């Protein structure tokens, strides 16, 4: 513990006169007990902080579920919500058995962890159960991103297989590279052999979480192909709008709330002093991180609002929600090492990146019901580049250890080494996820385990796969009118001669 009390009986004995040794031993013993209490309190405060952050990140699963449900058609609501539940459930078991060990099982090599399978020999001096819970919440967030890209046309067994593989192997390897003390590109490496003398800076996961989930979703949607009716015979895009803007907004606010555990919580500890006796401690950095997160999201939301108004002529709430989330995904990587004013730039550009990616997806006839690949993949990649441009040396040294002359943001006078490390991170994440998840989705397609039949897709998976609709609703106005007409058609005349109607 920093600033721990120290006491030497030899030093005190000189000052205490007769019976000095006994008195000194007693005083030092009391001070030692007080010091242990301070240490215990520090551990308790930091673990409580991390657990609370884990609960916030886990609450994002409810946000994902509501956002996904509102963004698909009503006939697929039960299906998409069930997949969100199973992302958490399957992810929990596979991250416990394999994922945490592959990510943080130390000591290990630069590629993959190799200890603590099934939390064996756990907890340790470097990690407690709160660390596992927090990292599990991150892993299932990556899986939740992917489920949105392949919504409304994917077999249920494919969801189970990809979710288990992603949380148990693909995602943990990436998090090992950039967050473990042994990872080849990690800024936390203990041997001092840092990539470009800095390591890749991805504080809360613009690359590790958002790019991984977004690129996995990209390959799933590409290999499956677009939903039926998404593009007409001439290749013109046809909007298949989600059924509930209310659920989209609810999900967005829940995700916003959870992001305050996602980004500020990634410090893992709060009771860390930078300058003793001042306000300059990790508690202040946590607050600054919450502010940069907020500003990036707000700026992206407003930029999307006016940008889409100019392009489409509408004030679209779903577009604004996606823009907001794009700003959050972008700032996640550098939220702790940039100034609040820089976060506004991050959010502004993130909105433009999202709009541009959506335009490109439409031209390429790529169909992603939640814009997950564009939002998390595109904005996540921008977030890594943004960090390389605006990261402050002071903040990097506070978080990643004091290193004189540390490479930092290019626009902050730090040279181009950090930009090189960030570009390598983008490339290796893209390559790794493409090689693993792209291959998995291709195999599932060849085994006819990926896409549902055209008949099931048209009818909706709630009815064909899950035993009934989530709501009592009508697919189209004509069927609704036909039902109403049948309800009021005349029956045989009554004894009085007047016709009767059914009600």
């Amino acid at each position: 513990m920093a600033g721990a009390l120290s006491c030497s009986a030899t030093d005190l004995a000189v000052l205490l006169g007769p019976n000095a040794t006994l008195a000194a031993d007693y005083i030092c013993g009391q001070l030692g007990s007080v010091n242990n209490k301070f240490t215990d309190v520090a551990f308790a405060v930091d673990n409580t902080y991390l657990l609370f952050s884990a609960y916030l990140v886990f609450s994002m699963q409810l946000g994902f579920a509501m956002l996904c449900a509102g963004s698909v058609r009503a006939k697929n609501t039960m299906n998409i919500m069930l997949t969100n539940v199973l992302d958490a459930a399957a992810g929990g078991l596979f991250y416990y058995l394999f994922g945490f060990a592959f990510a943080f099982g130390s000591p290990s090599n630069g590629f993959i962890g190799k200890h603590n399978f099934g939390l064996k020999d756990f907890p340790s001096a470097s990690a407690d159960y709160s660390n596992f819970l927090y990292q599990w919440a991150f892993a299932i967030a990556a899986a939740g991103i992917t489920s949105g890209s392949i919504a409304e046309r994917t077999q249920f067994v494919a969801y189970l297989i990809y979710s288990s593989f992603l949380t148990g192997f693909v995602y943990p390897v990436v998090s090992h590279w950039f967050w473990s003390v042994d990872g080849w590109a990690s800024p936390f490496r203990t041997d001092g052999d840092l990539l470009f003398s800095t390591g890749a800076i991805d504080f809360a996961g613009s690359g590790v979480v958002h790019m991984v989930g977004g690129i996995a979703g990209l390959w799933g949607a590409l290999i499956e192909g677009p939903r039926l009716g998404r593009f007409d015979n001439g290749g013109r895009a046809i909007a298949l709008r989600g059924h509930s803007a209310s659920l989209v907004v609810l999900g967005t606010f829940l995700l916003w709330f959870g992001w305050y555990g996602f980004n500020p919580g990634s410090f893992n500890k709060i009771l860390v002093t930078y300058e003793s006796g001042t306000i300059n401690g990790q508690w202040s950095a946590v607050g600054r991180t919450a502010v940069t997160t907020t500003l990036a999201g707000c700026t992206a939301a407003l930029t999307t609002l006016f940008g889409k108004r100019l392009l489409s002529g509408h004030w679209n709430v779903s577009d604004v929600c996606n823009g907001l989330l794009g700003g959050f995904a972008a700032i996640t990587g550098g939220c702790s090492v940039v100034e609040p004013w820089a976060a506004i730039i991050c959010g502004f550009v993130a909105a433009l990146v999202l709009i541009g990616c959506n335009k490109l997806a439409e031209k390429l006839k790529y169909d992603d019901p939640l814009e997950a690949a564009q939002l998390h993949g595109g904005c996540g990649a921008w977030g890594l580049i943004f960090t390389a441009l605006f990261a402050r040396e002071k903040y990097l040294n506070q978080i990643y250890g004091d290193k004189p002359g540390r490479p930092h943001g290019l626009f902050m006078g730090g040279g181009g080494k950090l930009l090189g490390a960030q570009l390598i991170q983008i490339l290796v994440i893209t390559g790794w996820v493409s090689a693993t998840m792209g291959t998995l989705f291709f195999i599932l397609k060849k085994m006819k385990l990926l896409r549902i039949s055209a008949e099931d897709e048209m009818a909706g998976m709630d009815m064909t796969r899950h035993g009934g609709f989530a709501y009592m609703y009508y697919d189209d106005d004509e069927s609704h009118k036909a039902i109403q007409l049948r309800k009021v058609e005349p029956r045989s005349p009554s004894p009085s001669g007047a016709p009767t109607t059914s009600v």
Side-chain angles (χ1 to χ4, degrees), residues 248-326:
V248 169
V249 173
L250 175 61
T252 299
F253 273 113
L254 287 169
L255 288 169
W256 189 340
F257 179 66
W259 234 291
Y260 292 125
F262 206 97
N263 287 2
S266 290
F267 282 94
N268 289 345
K269 298 179 179 181
I270 192 170
L271 199 58
V272 177
T273 301
Y274 297 154
E275 295 177 20
S276 183
T278 72
I279 63 170
N280 191 15
Q282 198 139 287
W283 48 86
S284 179
V286 166
R288 184 183 66 248
T289 299
V291 170
T292 58
T293 300
T294 303
L295 292 176
C298 293
T299 304
L302 292 174
T303 304
T304 305
L305 174 70
F306 291 105
K308 294 293 286 188
R309 168 69 176 179
L310 291 174
L311 292 172
S312 67
H314 301 292
W315 306 101
N316 191 303
V317 66
S318 297
D319 289 336
V320 172
C321 288
N322 277 347
L324 177 84
L325 298 177

Side-chain angles (χ1 to χ4, degrees), residues 87-381:
D87 281 338
L93 286 177
F94 279 85
Y95 198 73
Y96 163 76
L97 293 172
F98 309 107
F100 187 81
F102 287 149
F104 299 103
S106 184
S108 62
N109 56 57
F111 178 75
I112 193 169
K114 55 183 181 182
H115 295 283
N116 304 127
F117 290 97
L119 296 187
K120 183 180 180 182
D121 301 322
F122 198 82
S124 65
S126 59
D128 205 341
Y129 291 108
S130 55
N131 298 94
F132 167 80
L133 194 72
Y134 189 68
Q135 295 300 332
W136 160 71
F138 269 57
I140 60 176
I145 291 167
T146 304
S147 67
S149 295
I150 57 177
E152 298 203 280
R153 62 211 192 267
T154 305
Q155 291 192 46
F156 191 65
V157 66
Y159 279 112
L160 287 173
I161 294 171
Y162 100 75
S163 182
S164 302
F165 186 57
L166 183 66
T167 55
F169 180 64
V170 177
Y171 166 81
V173 170
V174 177
S175 56
H176 179 81
W177 292 349
F178 301 106
W179 288 346
S180 168
V181 294
D182 302 307
W184 64 269
S186 172
F188 299 106
R189 281 186 71 95
T190 53
D191 60 9
D193 186 17
L194 300 176
L195 179 67
F196 289 112
S197 302
T198 174
I201 304 299
D202 188 9
F203 181 71
S206 285
V208 174
V209 178
H210 295 284
M211 279 192 66
V212 168
I215 294 170
L218 172 69
W219 281 105
L222 280 174
I223 291 172
E224 274 193 309
R227 292 168 291 173
L228 297 177
R230 180 66 177 89
F231 299 96
D232 64 17
N233 294 331
R236 186 175 61 89
I238 298 173
L240 301 179
R241 298 193 180 279
H243 79 282
S244 175
S246 300
L247 289 178
V248 169
V249 173
L250 175 61
T252 299
F253 273 113
L254 287 169
L255 288 169
W256 189 340
F257 179 66
W259 234 291
Y260 292 125
F262 206 97
N263 287 2
S266 290
F267 282 94
N268 289 345
K269 298 179 179 181
I270 192 170
L271 199 58
V272 177
T273 301
Y274 297 154
E275 295 177 20
S276 183
T278 72
I279 63 170
N280 191 15
Q282 198 139 287
W283 48 86
S284 179
V286 166
R288 184 183 66 248
T289 299
V291 170
T292 58
T293 300
T294 303
L295 292 176
C298 293
T299 304
L302 292 174
T303 304
T304 305
L305 174 70
F306 291 105
K308 294 293 286 188
R309 168 69 176 179
L310 291 174
L311 292 172
S312 67
H314 301 292
W315 306 101
N316 191 303
V317 66
S318 297
D319 289 336
V320 172
C321 288
N322 277 347
L324 177 84
L325 298 177
F328 288 152
I331 195 62
T332 294
C335 55
S336 64
V337 296
V338 300
E339 296 287 1
W341 60 262
I344 295 175
I345 299 173
C346 178
F348 177 77
V349 177
L352 301 182
V353 169
L354 179 58
I355 292 171
C357 286
N358 284 333
K359 285 292 183 183
L360 179 63
E362 194 171 295
K363 287 185 177 295
L364 297 177
K365 299 180 179 61
Y366 169 78
D367 180 25
D368 185 329
L370 274 92
E371 302 175 6
Q374 302 94 297
L375 192 162
H376 298 277
C379 294

